[in-house]
Amino acid sequence: MEDTTLETRRPERKIQELSDQLISQIAAGEVVERPASVVKELVENAIDAGADSVEIRIEGGGIKRIVVSDNGCGIPKDQLALAVKRHATSKVSNLDELESVSSLGFRGEALASIASVSDMKVISRVAGEDAFSIADGEISAASGNKGTRIEVVDLFYKTPARRKFLKSEGTEAAHCQTVIERIALAYPEVAFLFVANGKPIINLPASSIEERLTRLMPRDFRDAHRALDAKAPALRLYGWVCLPTAARSRADCQYFYVNGRFVRDKVLSHGVRMAYQDVLHGSSQPSYCLFLQMDPHKVDVNVHPTKSEVRMRDSQAVHQFIFHAVEEALARTTIVDPFSGEIMDTALPSSPRDASAQAPAEAPAAPPSVNPPPFKYAQPKPSKANTEAYLDFSSPRPKSFQNSFPTTIAAMKVDQATLSATHAAPTPAPEVPKGPQPLGRAVGQVCGTFIIAENSAGMVLVDMHAAHERILYERLKKSFDERKMPLIPLVFTVTTEQMATFEDAREELEQLGLELSAVGPNQLSLRSVPQLMINQISQAGPTIVREVLDDFREYGKSTAMTEKRNEVLSRMACHAAVRVNRILTIEEMDAILRQMEQTDRADECNHGRPTWVQLSAKELDSFFMRGK
């Protein structure tokens, strides 16, 4: 029996050129995935044209109709026909310009791709000239303002198979809104109006970047973010990162821009995630809006038709720059200015300092309080030496304050005469501590868990276990001994890619404390590891090493060893921290407050939860309806 399988699979057909229409439809499959793709391309063209006002209107989720109008430079009549042809653009003209693209568009495919799958009409007017339109290759006179208006009707009617893959009109409209918000964040100087089915959805006037951020980012981000602005040779990273306490369950609030272009790049996002590794645990996702400016010659945006991916010439250096910039921003602790009562960001010292040495010679006097004077409490002032002792809750308490707290009800009783005398002649309340003590002075403890402190802004509540846990954790990290522990050689198999990565990253692996050697074409021998990680390595050594090698291959850096080390140190800090229901003395409470003020990341515990909150005097008054 004759086998006809080959003939069925590979029929004899002549090689022929594809028609321009089919070529455009094939290209459209990459450029135009859904209505949001059309909106993105047309809005980016408007920004490239110098527009400072863009209006987007859609109907039926953008499937029925999309209209994008701008007040940019417009397209001259003699260039209209060329503008809608494939690979026709004004943004690049040679290889050097392609390798240093600074505009959002440059391929010259958008309009041709859109026209190949829909009915498209372009109306444009250059300043000082009449308006003209082009539709189906026909140019005619039209009316319109300066700029360009592009109308797209019945998307994908020419390719009905693609239309079946679209979602509901509401879903497609939501995607269009997301695209507009992404672009609007990067171009606050441009006004945007987005109308869906006749209903205004977005109306953003030209503004500052801070105002634009406030309008578009979620409330939890606006209420808990840190600004950063870091510079390096030919690099600048600025924007906002959200505090770990406002982390989200989904990665739906992560915006990263390279030279004004929204991108999804695993190296860049890994650098940010790496900076959060020590304050964000589990599956929680950080939120951020970051802008990276770099030499266009050192980044290739011609990687994907949608231009959402980039390739950097020195990705490892950029990765480390982003990591350190974000990590430094997160390490700053938000404190309260004890003199103005305002919240401010300040970089805290990395090592404990003597509070008395930091105080200015003549600290400004605290502003007069409009509220009744606080409860009088005689507050001891611990020195730097015994502050360390107060924080060591595993050792016996210093004799100087072993009996500071009354231990019986009888000891707390006060006779009526004493009460009357106190009421008749109140003693002036002590002043709020001056100098660098923004968390104020401890006045008591409640629920066996929280320290109550007073500063000029009002009341501070501190979770003593969470705060002490962070203090100890940061100390352990700084004093961690990187000594190596020899092992009985552990031989395991790796992939060809992992072996090649090992050869390229020997020095970096040695710095991580991993002593490895090749013992075969695809076999490595692990001979020593950091002493603190001996138990983890003995249980899952090959898995951890493979993970490290994969990280180096993909990102040029690995956090696997640091994460494992931090897991151990975090557990140590948690077990050593003061426990709930431990009754503390005023000196112990103050010691925790002072150390918090000198500890990086003291706003959150090791698990990303807040360690303290500020309640203003106004908030306290409102609880009791004072002033009403």
Side-chain angles (χ1 to χ4, degrees):
M1 183 175 178
E2 186 178 357
D3 186 4
T4 59
T5 303
L6 186 60
E7 294 181 5
T8 304
R9 291 181 179 175
R10 300 179 59 184
E12 293 183 6
R13 299 185 64 175
K14 295 181 179 179
I15 299 174
Q16 57 185 344
E17 284 189 281
L18 299 177
S19 66
D20 288 340
Q21 176 71 8
L22 184 56
I23 291 173
S24 296
Q25 289 175 337
I26 292 172
E30 298 179 325
V31 178
V32 184
E33 299 175 355
R34 62 195 329 156
S37 305
V38 175
V39 171
K40 173 181 177 292
E41 296 292 341
L42 298 184
V43 172
E44 287 183 345
N45 280 347
I47 292 175
D48 284 340
D52 58 20
S53 179
V54 181
E55 180 179 308
I56 307 99
R57 295 179 178 271
I58 66 170
E59 295 177 9
I63 303 171
K64 296 179 181 178
R65 187 167 177 260
I66 299 173
V67 179
V68 177
S69 307
D70 67 67
N71 63 348
C73 62
I75 306 172
K77 177 186 176 182
D78 60 349
Q79 295 183 26
L80 271 177
L82 193 60
V84 297
K85 286 188 175 181
R86 288 189 314 110
H87 306 309
T89 180
S90 62
K91 298 164 187 176
V92 295
S93 59
N94 54 53
L95 180 61
D96 183 64
E97 291 181 351
L98 179 62
E99 292 179 346
S100 59
V101 172
S102 58
S103 58
L104 293 175
F106 58 89
R107 291 175 178 270
E109 292 181 328
L111 293 182
S113 297
I114 295 169
S116 68
V117 294
S118 67
D119 281 335
M120 186 183 74
K121 182 178 182 179
V122 180
I123 302 174
S124 191
R125 184 169 79 85
V126 178
E129 298 183 7
D130 294 331
F132 291 90
S133 68
I134 182 170
D136 295 327
E138 297 289 333
I139 299 177
S140 58
S143 60
N145 298 322
K146 172 181 170 293
T148 303
R149 181 179 186 272
I150 300 179
E151 181 176 355
V152 178
V153 178
D154 208 4
L155 187 63
F156 292 133
Y157 88 97
K158 295 181 180 179
T159 53
R162 293 294 306 277
R163 196 161 187 168
K164 295 178 182 178
F165 289 95
L166 297 180
K167 305 298 182 182
S168 66
E169 293 182 359
T171 299
E172 296 300 336
H175 283 289
C176 292
Q177 179 178 344
T178 299
V179 163
I180 296 168
E181 289 175 345
R182 286 174 181 168
I183 299 175
L185 274 172
Y187 294 91
E189 69 278 7
V190 179
F192 290 88
L193 174 62
F194 174 49
V195 180
N197 297 327
K199 180 181 178 181
I201 305 299
I202 297 176
N203 189 1
L204 298 171
S207 63
S208 66
I209 183 63
E210 291 81 5
E211 293 172 344
R212 185 61 58 87
L213 181 84
T214 301
R215 291 285 300 272
L216 292 179
M217 298 300 282
R219 181 168 183 173
D220 55 353
F221 184 96
R222 300 196 305 265
D223 294 342
H225 69 270
R226 296 252 173 87
L228 69 88
D229 192 346
K231 296 180 181 179
L235 288 173
R236 182 193 177 195
L237 181 71
Y238 65 96
W240 299 264
V241 290
C242 198
L243 297 178
T245 51
R248 303 168 72 88
S249 58
R250 296 186 300 160
D252 58 346
C253 192
Q254 298 179 351
Y255 300 90
F256 207 111
Y257 300 83
V258 176
N259 294 342
R261 185 192 310 278
F262 176 82
V263 300
R264 294 189 181 279
D265 184 87
K266 59 186 179 182
V267 174
L268 302 179
S269 60
H270 183 269
V272 178
R273 178 74 190 190
M274 183 176 166
Y276 275 91
Q277 68 177 348
D278 207 18
V279 290
L280 200 65
H281 295 263
S283 58
S284 298
Q285 293 291 332
S287 300
Y288 51 85
C289 181
L290 295 171
F291 301 87
L292 178 65
Q293 292 180 345
M294 59 186 303
D295 185 351
H297 286 90
K298 295 184 178 181
V299 56
D300 183 7
V301 298
N302 190 24
V303 177
H304 192 274
T306 63
K307 302 182 288 291
S308 61
E309 299 178 12
V310 294
R311 184 179 294 114
M312 288 164 290
R313 187 169 298 177
D314 192 353
S315 60
Q316 184 173 352
V318 175
H319 177 280
Q320 287 300 290
F321 171 67
I322 293 170
F323 161 62
H324 289 297
V326 176
E327 183 186 44
E328 182 180 349
L330 294 174
R332 297 198 305 268
T333 298
T334 304
I335 64 173
V336 181
D337 185 343
F339 307 117
S340 68
E342 296 179 352
I343 300 294
M344 61 181 182
D345 269 350
T346 182
L348 292 177
S350 58
S351 59
R353 296 180 294 180
D354 187 354
S356 61
Q358 300 176 58
E362 293 185 4
S369 174
V370 296
N371 297 302
F375 177 69
K376 176 190 175 185
Y377 206 103
Q379 180 189 9
K381 297 180 179 179
S383 66
K384 179 179 178 181
N386 61 23
T387 295
E388 300 295 328
Y390 297 152
L391 284 173
D392 183 8
F393 294 101
S394 62
S395 61
R397 296 181 177 182
K399 294 181 179 180
S400 60
F401 58 84
Q402 280 182 352
N403 299 315
S404 296
F405 263 72
T407 56
T408 65
I409 298 296
M412 299 173 66
K413 291 181 178 179
V414 183
D415 60 21
Q416 187 63 37
T418 303
L419 289 174
S420 299
T422 303
H423 179 72
T427 304
E431 294 183 1
V432 173
K434 300 176 183 179
Q437 295 187 5
L439 292 180
R441 60 187 182 89
V443 296
Q445 186 179 4
V446 65
C447 299
T449 304
F450 304 103
I451 296 172
I452 302 175
E454 180 192 29
N455 61 8
S456 62
M459 183 174 74
V460 178
L461 279 178
V462 177
D463 184 328
M464 65 182 193
H465 173 79
H468 192 218
E469 183 180 18
R470 172 58 71 179
I471 292 169
L472 296 179
Y473 182 41
E474 293 298 325
R475 287 185 180 181
L476 286 170
K477 287 193 298 182
K478 290 170 183 173
S479 63
F480 174 57
D481 188 359
E482 296 284 358
R483 288 177 299 177
K484 294 181 181 180
M485 188 75 173
L487 291 173
I488 297 175
L490 183 62
V491 179
F492 54 95
T493 303
V494 296
T495 65
T496 303
E497 293 83 359
Q498 290 168 341
M499 179 60 77
T501 303
F502 160 72
E503 297 292 346
D504 294 336
R506 282 177 180 265
E507 184 176 342
E508 290 84 354
L509 292 168
E510 183 72 20
Q511 292 174 356
L512 290 177
L514 294 175
E515 185 178 333
L516 291 162
S517 60
V519 293
N522 289 93
Q523 285 187 318
L524 292 176
S525 174
L526 179 61
R527 300 181 180 277
S528 67
V529 297
Q531 186 176 22
L532 190 67
M533 297 179 60
I534 187 67
N535 292 333
Q536 289 180 316
I537 293 293
S538 62
Q539 295 173 6
T543 301
I544 294 174
V545 173
R546 293 188 189 104
E547 183 180 344
V548 170
L549 293 172
D550 288 340
D551 282 350
F552 270 105
R553 179 170 57 87
E554 196 163 3
Y555 309 114
K557 190 72 176 179
S558 176
T559 61
M561 293 292 290
T562 303
E563 289 174 357
K564 301 299 182 184
R565 180 205 71 174
N566 288 347
E567 287 178 10
V568 176
L569 297 180
S570 181
R571 286 196 298 270
M572 292 169 61
C574 185
H575 292 316
V578 59
R579 295 294 180 181
V580 173
N581 293 324
R582 167 74 181 266
I583 302 301
L584 304 183
T585 65
I586 292 297
E587 294 94 330
E588 289 175 321
M589 298 179 205
D590 270 320
I592 289 179
L593 297 179
R594 301 293 77 80
Q595 288 298 313
M596 286 177 65
E597 293 163 351
Q598 300 172 356
T599 300
D600 292 343
R601 305 172 186 86
D603 285 340
E604 301 88 25
C605 74
N606 306 352
H607 314 289
R609 295 189 292 269
T611 57
W612 67 279
V613 294
Q614 172 80 56
L615 293 174
S616 67
K618 185 176 181 181
E619 289 175 299
L620 295 174
D621 285 344
S622 68
F623 294 153
F624 302 96
M625 301 180 67
R626 294 179 61 85
K628 294 186 179 180

